[in-house]
Amino acid sequence: MWNRENIEAQWAGWTERAERAMSVLRPYRHRLALFLAVVGPGLIVSNVDNDAGGIYTYAQSGAKYGNTVLWMLIPMTIVLYVSLEMCSRMGAVTGKGLSDLIREEFGFRVTFFLMAVVLIVNLGNVMAEFTGVFWASETFGVSRFIAVPLAAVLVWAIVVAGTAKSVERIFLSICVVYLSYVVSAFLAKPEWLISLLHLLPPQLMHYLPTVRPFVQVPPFSASYVIILAALVGTTIAPWQHFYLQAAVVEKRVGPRQYPTTRNDVLIGSISCMVIVFFIIVCTASTLYVHGIRDVDSAGTAALALRPLAGKWASALFAIGLLNASLFAASILPLSTSYVICEALGFESGIDRKFSEAKIFYGLYTALIALGAIFVLFMGRFANAILLWSQVLNGFLLPVIMIFVLILVNRRDLMGDQTNPKGFNWVAWISTVAVIILTLVVAYSSIRELMGHPVS
């Protein structure tokens, strides 16, 4: 029976435990406060690329090859972290954005041509994100002629009416919605131990007698290599490097605060791969197991889950798709505006008023409006839009990564913060691997657009 004495005794016990916990955490309060002040850009930029195109690719890979693609996640985490860490370090050390450094070091002509390509590529990417919005809206029975304009107005208002701090808080809150994929995966009831075993290369695990019965070795074929290349190509995008470096500069992160920003990038890279893991596991344990191999859109994947894993798994998958598409539709035009304005010397930044940065906000508005309009009236070409955006990303990414590697190893720019020799080896090997894989994706996408898919 509860009485006053029992309640007071219980409260005293809870207070004592809380004080003990605070005494343990007290030495780390300063570090925690510093991390919370700097956290944001790395977490946002890593997770935002789990967009409509990414989710479509992850769902397709899980449906077609099951758990056998999961071993790529660990190498992908390393490549994502290495490429983004170099950009965040350059931003902290130089105080300048990537396009700004390219203009200063390589000249205006090279920069102007590169910015023109970035503008075209990112317009295609914005169209792909609004494609994701109408895929998700159709899952809930809402017409794209209602969903896409509403989404366009929403993502425009978030940035134009906000400040850098408020926009970052909104973006960080959106990251939490990615947990819908975690819940969706649990509702699919996969065999978790088997999924975890496939995080290591199944070709090697097959030689261990104790785990051989639980490991499936994929057939080595052209289509399997292409799906692996597509996983890398959709996870690491050219625009991420520009946005991350610009965000680090806008937060005024310097060399002293940089170790905390590096942790932010690391946590972001790992969290991105965790979400990818759950998406693939969800589709592998439902679509793949039941023989549904062809997924023509991320919306189709969400609908296909309904009879296999229940309406809640399907709804949560669609919510995750809508969230990812809105998130990327906000960030991509913003990244492009930063890139163009930095490169050409125009005022930029969310903290500036519309009248102070007309070109910056004008570009942002135009990209959203054009992306939404094109998707509304070219919706039947959704898959072609997605494929072309992958092709263009594939051609642009190697160029950006080479620029990053050249700049980050310049001692006159970076001082003693250039890449260490070991890190440089990893960075160049990662870059060469990404170049090869993205060219494979570009080649396969072009063949598919021409009506000759690779088998």
Side-chain angles (χ1 to χ4, degrees):
M1 184 78 183
W2 286 100
N3 53 42
R4 183 173 178 178
E5 289 77 12
N6 286 337
I7 292 172
E8 287 178 352
Q10 192 71 29
W11 179 258
W14 288 338
T15 304
E16 185 180 351
R17 293 189 194 99
E19 288 175 353
R20 286 178 189 169
M22 290 299 294
S23 65
V24 172
L25 294 174
R26 195 168 288 119
Y28 303 98
R29 279 191 304 179
H30 177 71
R31 292 181 185 178
L32 181 61
L34 180 61
F35 178 75
L36 292 175
V38 177
V39 71
L43 191 62
I44 289 168
V45 82
S46 297
N47 281 283
V48 74
D49 211 39
N50 288 334
D51 57 357
I55 292 164
Y56 169 55
T57 303
Y58 308 144
Q60 188 182 44
S61 64
K64 198 167 187 180
Y65 293 103
N67 291 320
T68 62
V69 296
L70 290 173
W71 68 272
M72 274 296 289
L73 298 189
I74 293 175
M76 282 164 57
T77 305
I78 295 169
V79 174
L80 180 63
Y81 170 73
V82 166
S83 63
L84 295 181
E85 191 277 336
M86 290 187 291
C87 286
S88 62
R89 183 164 18 114
M90 277 198 292
V93 172
T94 66
K96 297 176 181 178
L98 181 56
S99 56
D100 205 2
L101 289 176
I102 291 172
R103 186 191 72 231
E104 291 181 2
E105 301 303 321
F106 297 98
F108 183 79
R109 287 185 181 179
V110 172
T111 307
F112 184 82
F113 176 74
L114 182 63
M115 293 306 104
V117 175
V118 167
L119 185 61
I120 294 168
V121 171
N122 282 359
L123 176 59
N125 289 331
V126 173
M127 291 169 63
E129 305 317 328
F130 283 113
T131 298
V133 170
F134 98 69
W135 278 344
S137 66
E138 286 184 344
T139 304
F140 294 111
V142 179
S143 168
R144 70 172 182 266
F145 291 99
I146 297 172
V148 172
L150 284 176
V153 172
L154 177 63
V155 298
W156 179 84
I158 285 173
V159 170
V160 174
T163 63
K165 187 172 286 188
S166 66
V167 169
E168 185 176 87
R169 285 174 180 167
I170 291 170
F171 288 164
L172 286 170
S173 301
I174 290 172
C175 287
V176 177
V177 185
Y178 281 107
L179 293 174
S180 64
Y181 288 115
V182 178
V183 180
S184 186
F186 273 96
L187 290 173
K189 299 177 181 177
E191 297 188 36
W192 291 108
L193 182 58
I194 292 176
S195 298
L196 291 170
L197 283 173
H198 282 84
L199 285 172
L200 298 173
Q203 295 85 350
L204 298 179
M205 298 295 286
H206 190 67
Y207 289 103
L208 299 177
T210 54
V211 299
R212 185 182 299 161
F214 308 103
V215 175
Q216 181 184 0
V217 179
F220 191 81
S221 61
S223 59
Y224 181 70
V225 173
I226 286 167
I227 206 73
L228 295 182
L231 286 171
V232 176
T234 55
T235 306
I236 306 167
W239 65 266
Q240 287 177 297
H241 303 80
F242 290 103
Y243 179 82
L244 177 59
Q245 192 161 332
V248 168
V249 172
E250 188 159 31
K251 282 183 78 81
R252 296 180 176 84
V253 175
R256 286 185 61 188
Q257 297 87 17
Y258 178 66
T260 307
T261 297
R262 185 173 58 223
N263 292 337
D264 175 37
V265 174
L266 178 61
I267 291 170
S269 301
I270 294 171
S271 67
C272 172
M273 290 304 125
V274 169
I275 297 301
V276 175
F277 171 79
F278 281 110
I279 294 172
I280 293 175
V281 167
C282 180
T283 53
S285 57
T286 51
L287 307 186
Y288 177 79
V289 168
H290 289 85
I292 302 173
R293 300 286 184 266
D294 294 322
V295 177
D296 58 8
S297 76
T300 302
L303 288 171
L305 285 174
R306 190 171 294 165
L308 304 176
K311 63 179 182 179
W312 287 110
S314 174
L316 287 167
F317 197 94
I319 288 168
L321 172 61
L322 179 61
N323 170 74
S325 301
L326 289 172
F327 193 13
S330 303
I331 297 267
L332 270 163
L334 187 60
S335 170
T336 310
S337 300
Y338 272 121
V339 170
I340 304 295
C341 291
E342 277 178 5
L344 303 182
F346 297 117
E347 294 291 342
S348 63
I350 303 173
D351 279 333
R352 298 186 184 278
K353 295 178 181 178
F354 204 106
S355 58
E356 297 172 339
K358 292 179 181 177
I359 302 296
F360 176 78
Y361 285 112
L363 272 171
Y364 183 74
T365 303
L367 283 165
I368 290 174
L370 287 173
I373 289 168
F374 283 147
V375 166
L376 281 176
F377 297 102
M378 298 171 64
R380 64 184 182 277
F381 302 114
N383 282 352
I385 291 169
L386 205 62
L387 283 169
W388 271 115
S389 71
Q390 287 182 347
V391 170
L392 295 172
N393 276 324
F395 284 123
L396 182 59
L397 180 60
V399 177
I400 301 302
M401 291 189 73
I402 289 170
F403 273 124
V404 169
L405 275 163
I406 292 171
L407 290 168
V408 81
N409 283 296
R410 290 274 298 272
R411 288 202 172 273
D412 56 328
L413 284 176
M414 300 295 293
D416 60 354
Q417 294 296 316
T418 56
N419 280 351
K421 188 174 290 186
F423 193 94
N424 230 17
W425 273 105
V426 174
W428 275 109
I429 291 169
S430 300
T431 301
V432 171
V434 167
I435 289 171
I436 294 170
L437 290 171
T438 49
L439 288 176
V440 169
V441 172
Y443 170 74
S444 66
S445 298
I446 290 171
R447 282 185 62 89
E448 188 166 340
L449 287 166
M450 294 173 65
H452 304 291
V454 179
S455 59

